[in-house]
Amino acid sequence: MPDQATSRWSWLRWLWISAVVIVIDLSTKYYFDSTFSYGETRYVAPFFNWVLVYNPGAAFSFLADAGGWQREFFILLTLVITSVLLWMLKSNQKNRLLSFALVLTIGGALGNLFDRIVHGHVIDFVQLHVGGYYWPAFNVADSAICIGAALLVWDAIRQPKANTESIAEKQVSPGK
C-alpha cells in the first residue's frame, strides 16, 4: 500500500508536462521575438507562414483594442482558472486523459501568463491560411490550450459511459 503522504502529492508528477510546454513555448517566443521584426512574415508553405505579432487580447485577439484594462483582467483570470485546473488535477489524478488535458492547459496558460506579465502582450508567430483567408496567429501555448480543451471535451463525452459501466459492475458484483 503506498505511503499516504506520497499519494497525497502524487498529482504533482503530472506537472512536468506543463513545465515542458512552458519551456518550449517561451523558447520559441524568444526565438521569434529576437530574430523577426514586428509584423515580419516569412513564407513556409502555401498554407503556413511564420509571422511576429503581439496580441494584447485573448484568443483570436478578443478584447485586443479594449484600452489596456484587459491585461490585468486576463492575468487575474488566468490565475483563477489555473488554480481551478490544479484543484481538478489533484482531485482527479487517477483519470490519465483528464490529467493530461489539464496539464497541457495549465502549461499553455502559464506560458501566455508570463508574456502578459513581462511584455504586456502575448507573442504569436504561427500563421495558417487557405485561399486568402487567414487564421489568427498563435503560438505553442495556444496550441497546448486548444489540445487540452479538446481532450477535456473528449473526456467529458466518454465519461458518462465509464460511469455507466462502473454502476453496472457494482450492481453485478456480489457482496458490495
Side-chain angles (χ1 to χ4, degrees), residues 111-124:
N112 283 341
L113 177 65
F114 177 88
D115 277 8
R116 287 188 199 292
I117 292 170
V118 172
H119 305 294
H121 55 258
V122 174
I123 299 168
D124 291 326

Side-chain angles (χ1 to χ4, degrees), residues 97 101 104-105 143-157:
L97 178 61
L104 283 177
T105 307
S143 299
I145 292 168
C146 287
I147 293 167
L151 291 174
L152 285 170
V153 170
W154 182 19
D155 182 66
I157 290 170

Side-chain angles (χ1 to χ4, degrees), residues 4-65:
Q4 195 168 13
T6 303
S7 65
R8 185 180 325 158
W9 295 101
S10 63
W11 62 276
L12 291 171
R13 75 183 189 282
W14 283 98
L15 293 179
W16 72 268
I17 297 170
S18 294
V20 169
V21 169
I22 293 167
V23 167
I24 294 170
D25 178 60
L26 295 181
S27 299
T28 54
K29 288 173 180 175
Y30 175 79
Y31 171 79
F32 284 95
D33 199 35
S34 62
T35 59
F36 279 57
S37 300
Y38 178 79
E40 180 180 351
T41 302
R42 294 187 192 168
Y43 172 88
V44 177
F47 58 91
F48 174 65
N49 296 327
W50 296 125
V51 61
L52 178 63
V53 295
Y54 302 141
N55 180 4
F60 312 117
S61 297
F62 176 67
L63 294 177
D65 297 326

Side-chain angles (χ1 to χ4, degrees), residues 45 47 65 68 78 91 97 99 106 119 122 126 133 139-140 147 149 155 165 173:
F47 58 91
D65 297 326
T78 300
S91 302
L97 178 61
S99 295
I106 290 166
H119 305 294
V122 174
V126 178
Y133 295 98
N139 57 46
V140 172
I147 293 167
D155 182 66
E165 290 171 359
S173 61

